[in-house]
Amino acid sequence: MPAAKPLEFRRRAVELARQREKPIAEIAHDLGIAESCLRRWMKLDDVDAGRVEGTTSDERAELVRLRRELRVAKMEIEILKRASAYFAREVLPDPK
């Protein structure tokens, strides 16, 4: 998988494509990226700018952060359940 391009590079590439001085395929070739990649960047820019419906970059970042927090919280709850069961066995007498 190729390395991710810097954000400024992406912005400039989208600006060049929007100027329509050259076909998108030619601009992508000149920049050394795939045409589909440039088109995807343009679509993401449209969503971030509010021109098209969709999940913005900020919303995607927040979803990633919230999902990570949820995963950690579930692990912590599971650990606490196991610890409480362990200590409950130590404290309560064994019914025989």
Side-chain angles (χ1 to χ4, degrees):
M1 184 171 203
K5 302 292 184 195
L7 187 58
E8 186 57 34
F9 176 86
R10 293 178 184 203
R11 285 189 188 132
R12 288 289 300 138
V14 169
E15 286 176 21
L16 288 171
R18 296 221 188 274
Q19 290 173 2
R20 303 271 187 208
E21 292 177 1
K22 292 182 183 180
I24 291 175
E26 189 176 336
I27 293 170
H29 182 267
D30 291 346
L31 294 172
I33 58 174
E35 180 182 354
S36 60
C37 183
L38 181 55
R39 289 190 185 278
R40 185 169 34 87
W41 291 348
M42 291 174 70
K43 183 180 176 186
L44 290 173
D45 182 61
D46 285 341
V47 171
D48 286 346
R51 293 185 286 267
V52 177
E53 287 289 318
T55 306
T56 66
S57 299
D58 292 338
E59 291 169 334
R60 274 193 307 281
E62 183 178 12
L63 282 172
V64 167
R65 181 184 60 79
L66 291 172
R67 286 178 179 146
R68 186 175 296 125
E69 286 180 15
L70 179 61
R71 189 172 53 248
V72 169
K74 285 181 177 180
M75 284 191 306
E76 290 173 346
I77 289 171
E78 185 62 30
I79 291 168
L80 290 172
K81 282 181 183 178
R82 290 179 185 194
S84 65
Y86 174 79
F87 288 116
R89 274 187 271 137
E90 280 188 1
V91 173
L92 297 176
D94 193 17
K96 291 183 184 181

